[in-house]
Amino acid sequence: MENLELLKNKCVENGFERLEALNNTALLDFIAEYTGHCEPDSVFVCTDSAADAAFMKKMAVEKGEEKSLKIDGHTIHFDGITDQGRDPKNTKFLYEKGKELEGLSGIDRETGLSEIKGVLKGIMKGRQMLVLFFSMGPVDSPFYIPAVQLTDSYYVAHSEIILYRRGYEGFKKAKPEDFFKVVHATGETENNISKNVDKRRVYIDLKAETVFSVNTQYAGNTVGFKKLALRLAIQKASREGWLAEHMFLMGVKGPFGRKTYFSGAYPSMCGKTSTAMVEGESIVGDDLSYLRNINGTAKAVNVEKGIFGIIQDINPHGDPLIWNVLNTPGDVIFGNVMESAGIPYWLGDGKELPEKGVNFAGEWFKGKKDAEGKEAPTAHKNARYTIDLEALKNCDSKLNDGNGVVLGGVVFGGRDADTWVPVRESFDWNHGVITMGASIESETTAAAIGKEGQRVFNIMSNMEFLSIPIPKYLEDYLAFGKGLKKAPKIFACNYFLKDMKTGKWLNGVKDKRVWLKWMELRAHNNIGAIKTPGGFIPKYNDLKKLFKQVMKKEYTLEDYNTQFLIRIPQNLAKIDRIIDVYTTKIHGAPKVIVEGLKEEKERFLALKASKGEFVTPDMLI
Ligand code: SPV
Ligand code: MN
């Protein structure tokens, strides 16, 4: 009651009436509780209006959280030197007794809540608390999940308005009792940078469907509806019989005007966004998808409506569509790039470098050395851009279709230098789940703080975000396929394969365009394929034709034979590593997982016995 009075008094403009119009006690109690606890000077309640959106952006610039750039509507935002990626070490689940998750980082719920509440106490003094409403997935849709964010960062609010569908009106209509809740506080700052990084905490309370994020600004830690709410969604999906995934969603054009939709799970920085927005095809989403069985058909939506994408190596030749958005007036936030005279610079942009600029580490000048004596980078590797998907010329017309798109295929990717061929198709849903999705290993990248280049197990590229036991997640996946009239085909892609002798990349950056076309044709069984122990791989003649059609490129038999060489020792070693994971590290996975892996191993061993360790596709025809 006391907090409610406080909230009423702190609301600016007609904020409290805006809240009352939602007629939602659970919501009001939640906002009142954190108003009392975080002690902001005032509270701003954001509706879905353009005026409120404009206010967030204006305040972000006025308060120095963003700075305007030369091109109209573009801004730049910096995070602190040690706040440039997701923080797995300090990201923890709050576990109730007996509900700990094997292999995932967490602490006792009561201890965690009391710690985070201690850190949050009075943390918004001198600041304004923003209340924002969003919808995960389109509103008026079976996929819809209402969500509310409290934050004291105009940058976070501005980012979310670009990235998510607004949800105030949806709240009014649905009057939900359950909704996702995020509480973010920037903490003390120095030059607008969160200062108390040692007290950076991202805690996920699965019981109350609430996420806390404090003393951090990097969007992966603060934009609550990215990976933080994904954890809440995974739990909800498991309860309700659907899948919440770290997947892009895109349309691939086939013959005679056909379009087939694919979702794809790749670990961070492994080509997920660049695949989703590849030229010639259409993008629905680049990061998060919800998959549901609707009357026996697998359908999917993009949880988001914008992109928080990696900017490194975006240039006019490789990524003309995104380049265009990044050079046209509109609502664009650049994060952790370098700025000089109002122009943003990033690694691999192909622009001529200025003499000096400002970046996440402060002043930059030509010849500057970093703390280790190495040449100081202009921008961070994990520098990002935030844009609305509709700014892209190839945005798919079904982006906001509440019915979702029919899934023709699911792709699993990874960063694998030595084992998997560039593209292959599983024998069936279970084979794909077991030997592709559940077998992903990838090298770690700058998207999360920690050592890069380590090969780690990353189930469905969703490992970091799982909020249910891995065995249960696998059961859900197997059951999802079983419940469908016709399951989407499952494929695996690897853009990072290297030549065994020279160590050179075997894939051109744009080859993925051809792999997509091949998968599209296979999704409809329009072309044949070669059966290998690990699944079906393309025939040379089909790829030759596609390379010519799509890229106007001569694809040689030699290229094909090195790319699609079946490397049996590497495959066997990998299967053994994965069997080890499911027998010694993860306990209780469905029996078919290890059985399926063992069968795959037997198939590779049989091929080795008959054809040797390295087998070119022509040896299988
Ligand atoms: C990723 O790192 O996988 C991202 C960006 O998509 S974020 O999760 O927001 O850090
Ligand atoms: Mn991601």
Side-chain angles (χ1 to χ4, degrees):
M1 218 37 222
E2 207 181 298
N3 282 339
L4 211 57
E5 268 313 298
L6 194 73
L7 171 62
K8 197 168 180 175
N9 292 333
K10 295 212 167 178
C11 274
V12 290
E13 302 190 22
N14 48 355
F16 198 71
E17 287 86 77
R18 289 174 171 190
L19 291 177
E20 277 184 320
L22 300 180
N23 196 9
N24 192 322
T25 317
L27 174 73
L28 218 50
D29 286 350
F30 165 70
I31 301 170
E33 181 186 348
Y34 287 95
T35 306
H37 196 78
C38 300
E39 303 176 41
D41 282 7
S42 63
V43 176
F44 185 98
V45 178
C46 192
T47 67
D48 300 346
S49 74
D52 284 359
F55 176 72
M56 295 300 147
K57 183 168 179 174
K58 178 176 143 260
M59 291 304 289
V61 173
E62 233 172 81
K63 295 280 181 190
E65 295 174 22
E66 293 173 33
K67 184 176 174 227
S68 291
L69 295 172
K70 209 165 174 178
I71 296 183
D72 200 29
H74 291 199
T75 57
I76 181 170
H77 163 84
F78 289 121
D79 302 304
I81 296 184
T82 51
D83 198 20
Q84 294 285 322
R86 279 183 278 103
D87 179 8
K89 206 170 122 247
N90 290 305
T91 302
K92 293 182 183 154
F93 288 109
L94 304 182
Y95 290 139
E96 292 174 86
K97 291 252 172 316
K99 291 199 179 168
E100 295 81 4
L101 295 165
E102 196 178 16
L104 303 176
S105 158
I107 52 169
D108 167 67
R109 182 165 186 265
E110 296 310 317
T111 315
L113 279 177
S114 102
E115 185 200 352
I116 198 80
K117 290 204 174 162
V119 183
L120 283 172
K121 184 72 196 142
I123 199 165
M124 293 188 190
K125 274 185 190 153
R127 300 173 73 98
Q128 182 167 63
M129 182 169 93
L130 314 168
V131 182
L132 299 117
F133 301 92
F134 295 99
S135 154
M136 309 289 92
V139 197
D140 287 328
S141 154
F143 294 89
Y144 166 68
I145 300 176
V148 59
Q149 167 104 37
L150 309 182
T151 178
D152 60 358
S153 160
Y154 297 103
Y155 159 69
V156 168
H158 178 202
S159 300
E160 289 185 339
I161 286 171
I162 298 177
L163 291 170
Y164 300 94
R165 300 175 183 91
R166 316 275 291 274
Y168 179 79
E169 292 304 322
F171 253 83
K172 204 183 265 178
K173 213 162 133 188
K175 298 193 182 41
E177 278 174 33
D178 297 321
F179 42 87
F180 291 172
K181 303 173 272 297
V182 183
V183 181
H184 165 249
T186 309
E188 262 183 87
T189 57
E190 198 172 302
N191 296 328
N192 267 309
I193 297 296
S194 290
K195 199 165 105 176
N196 302 323
V197 190
D198 57 321
K199 294 203 194 77
R200 175 169 59 208
R201 296 288 179 272
V202 180
Y203 282 1
I204 301 132
D205 182 2
L206 293 171
K207 185 171 184 212
E209 296 192 311
T210 305
V211 177
F212 303 94
S213 157
V214 57
N215 291 314
T216 172
Q217 290 166 304
Y218 172 67
N221 296 325
T222 59
V223 168
F225 307 114
K226 275 239 160 242
K227 302 310 187 313
L228 309 182
L230 173 60
R231 290 157 166 108
L232 303 179
I234 288 172
Q235 172 191 245
K236 187 175 167 67
S238 180
R239 235 172 20 226
E240 298 173 357
W242 51 279
L243 301 172
E245 296 299 311
H246 189 204
M247 284 181 175
F248 70 61
L249 195 57
M250 68 182 300
V252 179
K253 290 179 195 139
F256 308 110
R258 181 173 73 199
K259 193 192 268 187
T260 309
Y261 288 92
F262 287 81
S263 67
Y266 299 38
S268 308
M269 297 187 118
C270 291
K272 184 150 61 75
T273 301
S274 62
T275 304
M277 66 165 85
V278 84
E279 60 190 294
E281 314 298 357
S282 58
I283 177 166
V284 185
D286 85 312
D287 199 35
L288 304 173
S289 299
Y290 291 164
L291 275 56
R292 276 183 181 265
N293 172 342
I294 298 191
N295 301 326
T297 302
K299 296 214 173 162
V301 294
N302 179 8
V303 178
E304 316 180 282
K305 67 155 183 84
I307 301 185
F308 174 60
I310 293 161
I311 204 163
Q312 179 171 352
D313 291 333
I314 287 187
N315 59 61
H317 315 289
D319 310 88
L321 298 169
I322 181 71
W323 180 266
N324 182 39
V325 179
L326 300 181
N327 286 283
T328 307
D331 205 1
V332 180
I333 310 175
F334 293 85
N336 303 316
V337 300
M338 182 173 82
E339 184 257 331
S340 177
I343 295 172
Y345 295 85
W346 56 88
L347 303 174
D349 60 8
K351 294 179 193 171
E352 198 176 317
L353 274 180
E355 291 298 314
K356 57 185 175 46
V358 176
N359 69 13
F360 66 99
E363 298 285 331
W364 179 91
F365 47 86
K366 273 191 178 160
K368 185 179 175 183
K369 299 275 186 279
D370 67 10
E372 288 155 27
K374 286 199 237 124
E375 199 167 321
T378 50
H380 196 272
K381 269 191 194 173
N382 194 30
R384 302 250 172 179
Y385 60 86
T386 304
I387 59 162
D388 198 309
L389 270 161
E390 280 181 295
L392 279 166
K393 279 209 184 79
N394 62 339
C395 175
D396 193 272
S397 58
K398 294 207 169 164
L399 169 64
N400 293 314
D401 190 333
N403 293 318
V405 297
V406 175
L407 271 188
V410 174
V411 192
F412 291 106
R415 185 174 283 264
D416 165 13
D418 59 15
T419 311
W420 282 0
V421 294
V423 62
R424 75 187 198 285
E425 176 191 323
S426 71
F427 299 127
D428 55 32
W429 177 267
N430 277 13
H431 178 245
V433 169
I434 297 165
T435 67
M436 295 174 176
S439 295
I440 295 179
E441 294 175 298
S442 195
E443 290 159 30
T444 48
T445 67
I449 299 167
K451 201 163 185 281
E452 286 177 46
Q454 306 287 102
R455 176 144 56 187
V456 293
F457 172 70
N458 189 350
I459 185 169
M460 317 295 177
S461 306
N462 218 356
M463 182 71 198
E464 284 178 85
F465 317 118
L466 285 192
S467 52
I468 55 173
I470 292 174
K472 175 73 176 97
Y473 182 57
L474 287 166
E475 275 168 34
D476 293 347
Y477 244 91
L478 297 168
F480 187 78
K482 204 167 169 195
L484 296 166
K485 281 189 221 139
K486 180 172 170 260
K489 287 208 179 191
I490 295 185
F491 299 90
C493 273
N494 176 22
Y495 306 152
F496 299 91
L497 187 67
K498 290 183 177 169
D499 189 275
M500 286 196 295
K501 291 193 202 98
T502 63
K504 281 200 189 127
W505 301 113
L506 285 178
N507 278 260
V509 182
K510 295 199 173 187
D511 291 359
K512 54 172 89 71
R513 294 183 62 194
V514 171
W515 313 147
L516 286 166
K517 292 293 194 208
W518 183 79
M519 292 188 272
E520 202 280 337
L521 292 169
R522 285 295 298 169
H524 299 276
N525 294 317
N526 289 157
I527 48 172
I530 299 170
K531 194 168 179 183
T532 77
F536 296 109
I537 62 167
K539 291 183 174 171
Y540 171 64
N541 279 335
D542 291 327
L543 290 185
K544 185 177 158 71
K545 219 194 273 171
L546 287 173
F547 267 100
K548 190 89 183 219
Q549 263 171 23
V550 179
M551 317 235 301
K552 301 195 174 38
K553 191 172 140 180
E554 279 310 323
Y555 184 61
T556 65
L557 186 60
E558 196 190 338
D559 275 352
Y560 172 73
N561 278 332
T562 44
Q563 288 183 331
F564 289 90
L565 177 74
I566 300 164
R567 305 175 179 195
I568 297 182
Q570 286 84 344
N571 272 284
L572 288 172
K574 181 192 169 76
I575 297 170
D576 280 341
R577 287 195 300 273
I578 304 297
I579 290 179
D580 183 60
V581 168
Y582 287 109
T583 47
T584 67
K585 302 200 174 66
I586 295 163
H587 299 97
K591 271 211 196 77
V592 290
I593 302 290
V594 172
E595 279 168 16
L597 289 164
K598 286 189 174 158
E599 282 163 21
E600 182 109 328
K601 183 172 169 178
E602 287 308 316
R603 285 192 295 270
F604 274 110
L605 284 171
L607 182 63
K608 183 171 136 183
S610 69
K611 310 258 177 189
E613 292 195 315
F614 297 96
V615 178
T616 49
D618 56 354
M619 293 163 74
L620 292 169
I621 305 172

